[in-house]
Amino acid sequence: MEYRMETIDFDIKIIGKGIVVQTNDSFKTIPALWDNAETEGFLQQLIDLSWKERKCTLEGILGVCGNEAAIKEDEFTYFMGVQYDGEVPNELETIHISHNLWAVFPNVSNAWERLYIDWLPNSGYELVKIPCIECYYPPNHEPSNELWVPVIVK
């Protein structure tokens, strides 16, 4: 399974909105959330607020999945947002993520399917209690999206 390791040596501040989703339906619900975000103009608002200058390779529109990488509850909060250092608009929430070692996989949907079964048991890493982050890049970026998974060495 293709991946790379990334280190982020600063706290990630993400602004956006959290929506509770049912874990069993998340592969259907989350794409619908993005469709609604585009229709309602929220996606454009996130694009307008996104980084002008990159601080790291985690750039783009972000989907933060739950409270920790191993989602075991019946429901979790899916947070749609962007990295942002400016003043937060009143209608948006802020979350902070502080972790330095990330396994990064191209193609979010394929990565989710294989992460727990194929990669994790053989990787030499274990998950930490930090959420995974889906990163959706601007047009013409290769890859178009990635899954960032917080890990530590076993």
Side-chain angles (χ1 to χ4, degrees):
M1 186 170 180
E2 180 185 347
Y3 74 97
R4 70 177 189 283
M5 300 305 293
E6 289 275 350
T7 302
I8 298 178
D9 60 359
F10 59 91
D11 288 350
I12 303 167
K13 176 184 173 186
I14 303 172
I15 66 167
K17 293 180 183 176
I19 299 139
V20 176
V21 298
Q22 299 300 308
T23 303
N24 289 341
D25 294 332
S26 61
F27 285 101
K28 295 178 197 167
T29 305
I30 291 172
L33 293 176
W34 286 111
D35 289 343
N36 289 344
E38 184 172 14
T39 302
E40 295 170 2
F42 181 58
L43 184 57
Q44 187 60 52
Q45 181 183 9
L46 292 177
I47 291 168
D48 293 345
L49 292 169
S50 64
W51 286 108
K52 302 285 188 252
E53 296 179 31
R54 291 174 42 177
K55 287 178 85 172
C56 67
T57 55
L58 180 62
E59 62 174 39
I61 306 300
L62 307 176
V64 181
C65 304
N67 293 321
E68 59 183 88
I71 299 173
K72 298 175 184 174
E73 296 82 25
D74 291 337
E75 63 182 27
F76 65 92
T77 299
Y78 186 79
F79 192 89
M80 303 167 76
V82 293
Q83 288 189 67
Y84 189 69
D85 273 341
E87 189 171 323
V88 180
N90 290 335
E91 71 277 10
L92 300 182
E93 307 162 45
T94 303
I95 60 173
H96 295 270
I97 297 176
S98 180
H99 186 69
N100 63 351
L101 186 59
W102 299 81
V104 182
F105 303 88
N107 187 342
V108 168
S109 60
N110 193 24
W112 277 120
E113 290 176 11
R114 301 184 57 206
L115 172 67
Y116 300 110
I117 296 169
D118 295 341
W119 185 80
L120 194 59
N122 304 307
S123 68
Y125 295 95
E126 59 186 51
L127 302 176
V128 296
K129 294 186 178 189
I130 304 287
C132 292
I133 302 174
E134 299 172 343
C135 185
Y136 299 95
Y137 296 108
N140 302 319
H141 186 283
E142 284 297 324
S144 61
N145 56 67
E146 294 179 318
L147 178 63
W148 288 61
V149 179
V151 295
I152 56 172
V153 177
K154 285 185 184 176

